[in-house]
Amino acid sequence: MQHVLFYDSECNFPYSSESLLVPGSKIGGTEGSVIRIAEGLSKRYRVSVGQHNRIKHEKSTDHNIHWLTKKEATDSSLDVDVVVVLRRVGDLPLMKWYHPRARLFVWSHDWLFPGPSGFSRASLTWRAKIEMRFLLHACYDAVNVGVSRTHMENIRDSLNKTRLIGPLRDRVRLDYVYNSIPENINVLPESAAYDPTKLIFVSAPWKGLNMVLKSFKTIRQHIPDLKLHVASPGYGYQPAEKLDESLTENVIFLGSLSHAAVLHEMRSALCVFYPANKVPETFGLVFAESNAVGTPVLTHPIGAAPELLTPEQLVDARDTNAIIERLRLWKNGGRPVVRAKEEFRLSNVIRSWERVLFSQGA
């Protein structure tokens, strides 16, 4: 039985399967994705997840997954066939040193923004980081796995701008596997009883909360009975007392919720409200899960949003009138019917991971 090791040296807090069940567990979409993919692969493979800040070994009660400390994850006797590094390309040398025969992958979750132009110190630093990123991929024969087709093309665009690695560029292999939604997330009968005055924002504050709050304030001048619920992971949470009070009227801060509670909030809302155009989503797990429970999303066509969502869910975040018009239409019975995309279902995503990790030439 092949052994797959996921290694996460960037998580804010250690996590495990049980974290999805606990309110305030301080995990985000990336950690949730790791948990689900580890659980899905554990049905056919040995699976371990190493974390830099974990202090004790843990085994999942319902799945054959071992949650390892850094010391355990870097034990060369672990007998690993595949290592999937979370985000941090700089961990490739470490993993190759301790697991020399393992095939290496980097599971990227972050958008690669274009660097500063010109020849400033900032520009040169950015270029050096990009060159080193892909040089490590080439030298360690590691596949870069994005979380959507859009994300993979974003990575490819940065790769094509490299100069110093020269012919090694052709050795950098790119692929993508969608993040997953659980099999049991579906539209329920009670989803039809949503509150037409309730909007919800479900994401980390730095992904555009201030922009969303400003948009909401303006929109309420035209649709005053709207209310906005805000749920965020525990890390990086921006409490209401640190925000401009003029932006928090009719805003209800929910803090960090369990996954089940997030789905309940989504089901009861008119839509997921996300009119922000600064931080592209590489996938947008909130988008996929919201559609899966039957709730549309109203967001700017940036990042992977057009790949995940139907056209009627996209709106220019800078066009307040268009947002108001769309909300009025939905509020008055014209809300679009949305469903999950089957390619996002966990069973299909697991098959994609098996293709990437175990196919010939991987």
Side-chain angles (χ1 to χ4, degrees):
M1 181 181 291
Q2 299 217 54
H3 187 183
V4 180
L5 169 67
F6 292 88
Y7 184 68
D8 190 346
S9 68
E10 292 205 343
C11 54
N12 291 281
F13 302 90
Y15 55 91
S16 64
S17 296
E18 286 68 28
S19 299
L20 292 177
L21 307 175
V22 181
S25 57
K26 301 182 180 181
I27 67 168
T30 298
E31 293 83 2
S33 295
V34 174
I35 292 169
R36 294 190 186 97
I37 299 308
E39 290 179 349
L41 289 174
S42 71
K43 296 177 181 179
R44 296 185 60 185
Y45 309 95
R46 291 175 58 199
V47 177
S48 300
V49 181
Q51 295 157 357
H52 71 107
N53 48 12
R54 175 170 287 278
I55 59 174
K56 66 176 182 178
H57 185 111
E58 183 178 344
K59 185 181 184 301
S60 289
T61 305
D62 299 325
H63 300 87
N64 186 27
I65 306 173
H66 290 266
W67 304 88
L68 310 181
T69 65
K70 179 179 179 179
K71 182 177 180 180
E72 291 172 321
T74 53
D75 185 339
S76 53
S77 66
L78 197 57
D79 190 25
V80 175
D81 299 285
V82 173
V83 175
V84 181
V85 170
L86 269 295
R87 291 182 171 140
R88 192 171 181 273
V89 182
D91 287 329
L92 288 174
L94 179 73
M95 291 295 106
K96 187 66 173 179
W97 177 263
Y98 287 103
H99 309 296
R101 72 174 189 83
R103 298 185 299 278
L104 300 179
F105 299 80
V106 177
W107 188 5
S108 299
H109 286 261
D110 303 313
W111 192 264
L112 292 182
F113 289 92
S117 58
F119 294 95
S120 65
R121 169 181 270 183
S123 174
L124 294 174
T125 299
W126 177 85
R127 292 181 188 181
K129 287 182 178 179
I130 291 296
E131 295 280 351
M132 181 56 68
R133 175 189 186 92
F134 291 115
L135 181 61
L136 285 171
H137 273 287
C139 291
Y140 290 95
D141 198 26
V143 180
N144 191 312
V145 184
V147 295
S148 67
R149 184 174 57 255
T150 301
H151 186 209
M152 183 182 71
E153 292 307 321
N154 162 249
I155 297 169
R156 190 188 308 281
D157 183 58
S158 291
L159 173 62
N160 289 338
K161 292 176 181 176
T162 57
R163 294 292 180 267
L164 300 180
I165 67 172
L168 289 177
R169 183 189 302 156
D170 295 334
R171 292 181 54 182
V172 179
R173 291 178 292 163
L174 306 180
D175 211 324
Y176 74 93
V177 178
Y178 287 124
N179 282 338
S180 68
I181 59 175
E183 301 289 338
N184 61 353
I185 297 184
N186 291 294
V187 178
L188 301 177
E190 55 264 35
S191 298
Y194 63 87
D195 181 348
T197 68
K198 175 183 174 180
L199 312 179
I200 185 168
F201 174 89
V202 188
S203 198
W206 58 267
K207 288 190 174 182
L209 177 57
N210 278 327
M211 188 178 298
V212 169
L213 292 175
K214 289 176 182 177
S215 178
F216 179 68
K217 178 182 178 180
T218 302
I219 289 164
R220 281 198 63 245
Q221 296 173 12
H222 303 269
I223 315 177
D225 62 342
L226 291 177
K227 54 185 178 290
L228 175 64
H229 290 224
V230 175
S232 291
Y235 60 84
Y237 185 67
Q238 188 171 6
E241 61 265 21
K242 291 188 178 181
L243 295 168
D244 183 342
E245 289 187 5
S246 67
L247 298 178
T248 61
E249 185 177 356
N250 266 32
V251 178
I252 301 165
F253 291 90
L254 304 173
S256 179
L257 303 177
S258 68
H259 186 244
V262 167
L263 296 181
H264 173 75
E265 291 289 337
M266 285 178 175
R267 284 193 172 96
S268 61
L270 173 69
C271 70
V272 166
F273 187 65
Y274 201 168
N277 63 355
K278 297 298 184 183
V279 182
E281 288 283 1
T282 52
F283 176 75
L285 188 59
V286 168
F287 299 164
E289 292 190 339
S290 182
N291 276 197
V293 301
T295 300
V297 177
L298 193 59
T299 192
H300 190 79
I302 189 174
E307 186 177 347
L308 270 68
L309 302 172
T310 53
E312 63 265 35
Q313 298 179 79
L314 305 174
V315 66
D316 190 334
R318 300 161 296 186
D319 190 342
T320 301
N321 290 332
I323 297 173
I324 292 170
E325 181 180 344
R326 194 76 56 87
L327 287 174
R328 279 179 170 159
L329 173 65
W330 292 4
K331 191 170 180 284
N332 294 322
R335 194 173 81 146
V337 175
V338 294
R339 295 289 186 271
K341 288 190 175 183
E342 290 306 309
E343 56 262 47
F344 303 156
R345 294 287 185 192
L346 182 58
S347 57
N348 292 323
V349 172
I350 292 299
R351 280 193 284 271
S352 293
W353 269 111
E354 289 179 315
R355 172 189 62 79
V356 169
L357 298 179
F358 305 112
S359 62
Q360 290 294 324

